[in-house]
Amino acid sequence: MLKWVTAVSTAAIAATIAFTAPAAAADKVTLMLNWYVYGEHAPFYYGKAKGIFAAEGIDLDIQEGRGSANTVQAVAAKTVNFGYADVPTMMRAAVKGAPVISTGVLLQTTAMSAMGFVEKNIKKAEDLKGKTVAVTPADALSQIWPLFLKKAGLKESDLKTVAGDAQTKLNAVINGQADVLLGYVMDQSMKIKDATGKDVNTIKFADYGIHLVSSGIIANTDWAKANPDLVKRFMKASTKAVEEAQKDPKAAAQAILDANPKGGKIDTLTQGFELTTQFYKTPETKDKPVFRVTDQNMKESVELMVEYGGLEAKAKDNPKAFYTNDYLN
């Protein structure tokens, strides 16, 4: 009898321990953004705030970036686990030997554009003739600019350019020294509106046949291979975060401000995020989950980057070296 009681007691104690044992600690994961926070980043903040990453066992830390090139370097050095960065910028590093790969492309066509105040009445490419354009030499936009001019039937002599860094470019338009600047639909246009209260017209490169992939998730190639389950969970959570954020853009934008009160203004953050979503899909991926890029899109993007974006010609030998859909559900 004593043996039976002891056995029952032991079993009860074991059951109690099983039910009260703490859950496994979440994996601490750092995501570095491409730039200071703006509307495009809303899904990641929303996913963290709503527990979407936590549900996948991920304790997410989101860090602002200082340009895609710096984010790529941090991922390559394993300083951070993931980056959200310009995929063509990542390609330029990868072809030179950096161990980086995109595990999901979110913006599958370019958000590059020329933009100026609505009052300037510059709505299409031909309206740029005789106008002054503010550019930042050697950045991604200025490299693709000649292709845009070619596609639009314009010559460089049809317009004037002024050069400066990112802030100088903004100031040139705000102060009337330039009619338009080269920027991203959901980024610089919102900064201009925040600063002046005025609406902006955008002439999107994509409307002139330039379908170049843009922002995506990147990881260190070796680290991803060593941690496939974690990468899959991160991509699953990121996918759900993007999908859920689109259902409530204002709440997604508010998640940015809750985490970073100086991250902008709710109206322009919301508008910036809503403007971003138009670049999530191509006609080929419209029925697929976000982040799943096609082989043809990547192949054409590599070819464009080789011709216009300073990517080494050998990149065309194996476009699949720059991305994978293997970690997507």
Side-chain angles (χ1 to χ4, degrees):
M1 184 69 173
L2 182 60
K3 290 182 178 179
W4 181 81
V5 171
T6 302
V8 171
S9 299
T10 302
I13 292 169
T16 300
I17 291 172
F19 280 109
T20 58
D27 291 302
K28 291 186 179 297
V29 169
T30 301
L31 170 68
M32 179 178 280
L33 303 175
N34 55 331
W35 195 241
Y36 300 98
V37 67
Y38 58 97
E40 182 181 342
H41 305 137
F44 302 109
Y45 287 91
Y46 190 69
K48 180 177 180 178
K50 290 297 183 180
I52 294 172
F53 287 93
E56 293 298 329
I58 292 172
D59 179 9
L60 181 63
D61 175 43
I62 305 172
Q63 295 182 2
E64 289 186 307
R66 299 296 180 268
S68 286
N70 289 335
T71 298
V72 171
Q73 289 175 2
V75 171
K78 299 183 183 178
T79 305
V80 297
N81 305 103
F82 295 97
Y84 181 72
D86 179 60
V87 174
T89 298
M90 183 217 72
M91 290 177 189
R92 283 194 287 268
V95 79
K96 289 179 167 62
V100 286
I101 192 168
S102 176
T103 55
V105 178
L106 185 55
L107 272 60
Q108 299 189 356
T109 188
T110 185
M112 294 179 180
S113 66
M115 61 185 70
F117 290 124
V118 168
E119 64 197 41
K120 294 279 187 178
N121 202 33
I122 302 171
K123 299 179 179 179
K124 52 189 181 299
E126 65 186 61
D127 296 334
L128 292 169
K129 288 184 177 180
K131 300 298 191 294
T132 300
V133 183
V135 304
T136 297
D139 73 354
L141 291 129
S142 64
Q143 290 177 330
I144 303 301
W145 177 238
L147 175 60
F148 169 77
L149 293 177
K150 180 180 178 181
K151 293 275 191 178
L154 296 172
K155 297 175 291 189
E156 290 192 27
S157 58
D158 287 332
L159 38 81
K160 301 175 183 177
T161 59
V162 293
D165 62 19
Q167 189 59 50
T168 301
K169 191 167 60 174
L170 284 168
N171 291 341
V173 168
I174 291 169
N175 298 328
Q177 297 165 315
D179 299 294
V180 298
L181 60 78
L182 301 188
Y184 292 89
V185 170
M186 62 291 191
D187 184 5
Q188 284 82 2
S189 66
M190 296 297 98
K191 287 185 171 70
I192 294 172
K193 189 172 181 178
D194 272 345
T196 67
K198 296 180 179 180
D199 287 323
V200 172
N201 279 338
T202 57
I203 302 171
K204 296 190 284 289
F205 289 14
D207 289 343
Y208 291 83
I210 300 174
H211 300 299
L212 176 70
V213 295
S214 186
S215 303
I217 300 293
I218 65 171
N220 180 287
T221 310
D222 299 328
W223 181 84
K225 288 179 180 177
N227 298 276
D229 177 67
L230 178 53
V231 178
K232 287 179 180 178
R233 285 186 282 126
F234 180 82
M235 294 308 304
K236 181 179 179 181
S238 296
T239 299
K240 185 173 182 180
V242 171
E243 291 171 346
E244 292 300 312
Q246 289 182 83
K247 297 175 183 177
D248 196 345
K250 190 169 184 178
Q254 184 60 47
I256 292 177
L257 294 177
D258 291 342
N260 183 354
K262 296 182 179 180
K265 299 177 181 179
I266 186 62
D267 290 342
T268 45
L269 286 172
T270 303
Q271 186 179 353
F273 171 52
E274 291 176 323
L275 287 169
T276 303
T277 62
Q278 65 186 300
F279 304 106
Y280 285 168
K281 304 286 185 71
T282 65
E284 292 74 32
T285 59
K286 61 183 175 63
D287 296 323
K288 296 182 179 180
V290 292
F291 288 111
R292 188 173 291 276
V293 70
T294 65
D295 293 342
Q296 186 62 25
N297 192 352
M298 288 297 295
K299 178 177 179 291
E300 291 176 356
S301 294
V302 168
E303 290 171 351
L304 277 177
M305 286 299 297
V306 168
E307 186 170 359
Y308 293 96
L311 186 62
E312 293 181 26
K314 64 181 180 181
K316 292 196 293 186
D317 295 341
N318 185 19
K320 290 189 176 184
F322 302 114
Y323 70 102
T324 178
N325 289 325
D326 291 349
Y327 299 107
L328 299 172
N329 293 315

